[in-house]
Amino acid sequence: MAHALGALASVSPSVAADASLRKTGFKINNNLSYNNKLWIPLSPVNLKSRFSSTKYRCKVVSMSVQQTVRSKIPVQPLELENAKEPPLNLYKPKEPYTATIVSVERLVGPNAPGETCHIVIDHGSNVPYWEGQSYGVIPPGENPKKPGSPQNVRLYSIASTRYGDSFDGKTTSLCVRRAVYYDAETGKEDPSKNGVCSNFLCDSKPGDKILLTGPSGKIMLLPEEDPNATHIMIATGTGVAPFRGYLRRMFMEAVPTYKFGGLAWLFLGVANSDSLLYDDEFTGYLKDYPDNFRYDKALSREQKNKSGGKMYVQDKIEEYSDEIFKLLDGGAHIYFCGLKGMMPGIQETLKRVAEERGESWDTKLSQLKKNKQWHVEVY
C-alpha cells in the first residue's frame, strides 16, 4: 500500500484557507476566534490591615497571567457520527467515483530526499469514510499488463478526519510520496519506471478529475469506546497519514460525541528535519495539550542512537521501552504504519526488550492481538 478540485463553489470558501490551515494547523474563519485570552487576576493583598506597624508594611505588586487557549473547530454534518459501522467499498474498481482535485501542496523542505505532497480531494460528501481507512485511486491510462484494461487500483491511507480539511464532510486528504526510480549504474532518473499513480497525484492540478474506490480497511480504525484510552502511534514517512486524522479528531475538531481525554503518543521516523510531515500541527498539539500528547521524532540522517548509528523509530521505541510496555500492560493501543521494512527492526527491538524484562514476546504479542490492541498497516 502506498501513502500516500478547481475548487467547487460549494467548498471554495473553506478551501481558500487550506494552505494557511496546513501551515498553522488551524483554519482561518472570520466568525470564530481561536485565540481566546483568559486572564487570571491575582488580587492585591493588603498587609497593612494585618500589621499595624510600618515596620512590617510591604508593597505587593498585582500581576496578571495571560494564557492562550486555542478553541476547537466546529465540524459538520454531525450526522457523520451516527453510523454504527464504518462505510466499506461504496465504490468498486469497475464503477469508481469521479472526484475532483482541490489542491496539491509540497509538504517537505528543500533538503528532504524526495518529494511528498498533501493532496485535497473533493468527493462531494458521496464517499464518506472513517479515520484510519484507505481510498483506492485508479490512475489514468492503460494497464501495461492488460492492454485495453484500466490501471490497477493503488491504495492510500486517508490523512484527514471524516470531515476533511474543510471541516464540512466534503473533502478528503492524501499524503503521497512521489515514487522516482534512479538507474543504479548511471544514477539518472528513469521516468519509464517511475511510480504511475504517485506521479499522477503529485502532478495533479486543481480541477483535475480522479477516480476513487473504497473506502476500505478496518484494522486501523480509531477505537473510541474509551475516550480516555492511550494510543501509541509509530510511523515512518507517509505512514503518518492515518495518525494525522486521529490527532485532528482528538485535538482540533469539536466533535460533541468524542471528547478525548487520554494520551496520544506519536513516534515519527523520517530522514531529516526537512522531511517532517505536518510538524506544525503536531507541535501545536504539544503546546496546547501537553498532558494528552507526546511527540518523538527519529531523524535518521541527523540523530544518533545510543550505539552511534542512525536513529530509527525502533531506537526511539527502545529508549522508552519500559514506559511503552507498562502502557501496553494497562490496555494501550499500539499502531504501526509505513513501509513494511520498518517492522522487522521494530519486532526485533520489542522481542529483545521483552526478554530483558523476563517476558515472552510471542506470548505478549498474541495477547495484544487477542485484546485488539495491536494494529499494523504496512505496504
Side-chain angles (χ1 to χ4, degrees), residues 159-179:
S160 53
T161 73
R162 65 194 70 183
Y163 298 100
D165 285 11
S166 51
F167 308 101
D168 59 6
K170 296 179 181 178
T171 69
T172 189
S173 300
L174 303 180
C175 179
V176 180
R177 175 164 174 157
R178 186 190 293 273

Side-chain angles (χ1 to χ4, degrees), residues 76-333:
Q76 60 179 355
L78 291 177
E79 287 77 14
L80 290 176
E81 301 296 323
N82 294 344
K84 301 299 182 187
E85 293 292 328
L88 288 170
N89 302 313
L90 303 178
Y91 290 89
K92 299 181 179 177
K94 290 186 178 180
E95 295 182 339
Y97 179 79
T98 302
T100 309
I101 298 290
V102 176
S103 62
V104 178
E105 180 186 350
R106 181 184 169 100
L107 283 174
V108 295
N111 295 319
E115 180 181 22
T116 302
C117 295
H118 181 81
I119 299 161
V120 180
I121 302 166
D122 182 352
H123 60 79
S125 303
N126 294 310
V127 198
Y129 57 89
W130 283 9
E131 298 74 21
Q133 289 192 296
S134 300
Y135 271 153
V137 176
I138 303 176
E142 189 177 78
N143 189 328
K145 296 182 180 179
K146 297 179 181 178
S149 299
Q151 293 274 5
N152 291 332
V153 173
R154 275 73 163 181
L155 292 177
Y156 290 88
S157 287
I158 295 170
S160 53
T161 73
R162 65 194 70 183
Y163 298 100
D165 285 11
S166 51
F167 308 101
D168 59 6
K170 296 179 181 178
T171 69
T172 189
S173 300
L174 303 180
C175 179
V176 180
R177 175 164 174 157
R178 186 190 293 273
V180 180
Y181 176 84
Y182 291 94
D183 186 273
E185 293 183 4
T186 65
K188 293 182 179 180
E189 181 182 340
D190 183 351
S192 68
K193 296 182 180 180
N194 286 350
V196 173
C197 198
S198 65
N199 280 271
F200 159 67
L201 288 168
C202 291
D203 289 335
S204 294
K205 302 291 186 292
D208 287 354
K209 299 303 178 182
I210 176 174
L211 299 179
L212 296 179
T213 66
S216 62
K218 296 177 75 172
I219 189 66
M220 294 293 284
L221 294 176
L222 179 65
E224 297 188 357
E225 297 85 2
D226 180 6
N228 298 315
T230 294
H231 303 273
I232 303 167
M233 299 160 279
I234 298 161
T236 56
T238 56
V240 77
F243 306 142
R244 178 185 186 252
Y246 295 177
L247 295 169
R248 286 170 76 91
R249 186 163 175 83
M250 291 172 178
F251 301 125
M252 185 182 288
E253 298 179 344
V255 181
T257 55
Y258 184 61
K259 299 183 184 301
F260 182 68
L263 172 65
W265 192 352
L266 174 64
F267 292 85
L268 176 57
V270 293
N272 56 25
S273 299
D274 265 19
S275 303
L276 288 167
L277 305 173
Y278 310 111
D279 189 60
D280 288 350
E281 284 187 18
F282 301 151
T283 52
Y285 304 147
L286 202 57
K287 178 182 177 183
D288 293 338
Y289 300 94
D291 296 331
N292 303 97
F293 183 55
R294 294 175 67 173
Y295 178 31
D296 283 279
K297 312 167 198 177
L299 309 178
S300 61
R301 299 188 186 180
E302 294 180 4
Q303 299 172 328
K304 300 292 184 185
N305 61 24
K306 65 180 183 181
S307 302
K310 291 183 176 181
M311 176 71 80
Y312 294 110
V313 283
Q314 59 262 35
D315 299 309
K316 280 291 179 184
I317 292 170
E318 185 172 16
E319 189 177 326
Y320 294 101
S321 57
D322 281 345
E323 217 173 335
I324 289 171
F325 270 67
K326 287 175 185 175
L327 290 171
L328 291 173
D329 290 342
H333 291 269

